[in-house]
Amino acid sequence: MKNNIFTFATKELSQDAVICWCVNWFNVAAKGSPLYEMAVDILKLFVNPNEASEIENEDKIIIHQQVCKADVIIYLPKAHILIIVE
């Protein structure tokens, strides 16, 4: 599966699409690769520093756009972390 920015970039929502595209490398890039590490680093910026170490224990993250008036929702199931970007 390719990580295509145009999957996320619809209409004028390109800023949200960039966030989604960047963190989605967590799902599609090989662990340890530069793109995977970029996604982890970005996710760590969104969470409490005490929770940052839990991110790397995730297998897959769930990303949604434009849900309940939130621009981006990122869910880390194992860590039970919900990130809302507005």
Side-chain angles (χ1 to χ4, degrees), residues 47-61:
V47 300
N48 182 316
N50 298 332
E51 299 171 321
S53 62
E54 297 181 38
I55 291 171
E56 295 180 41
N57 295 329
E58 292 292 329
D59 297 325
K60 185 172 177 98
I61 60 173

Side-chain angles (χ1 to χ4, degrees), residues 31-71:
K31 286 191 177 189
S33 72
L35 292 169
Y36 176 85
E37 295 302 325
M38 174 195 64
V40 169
D41 289 344
I42 291 170
L43 289 167
K44 285 180 178 180
L45 293 172
F46 284 119
V47 300
N48 182 316
N50 298 332
E51 299 171 321
S53 62
E54 297 181 38
I55 291 171
E56 295 180 41
N57 295 329
E58 292 292 329
D59 297 325
K60 185 172 177 98
I61 60 173
I62 300 166
I63 305 165
H64 292 287
Q65 290 178 272
Q66 301 300 312
V67 176
C68 298
K69 298 186 180 182
D71 292 337

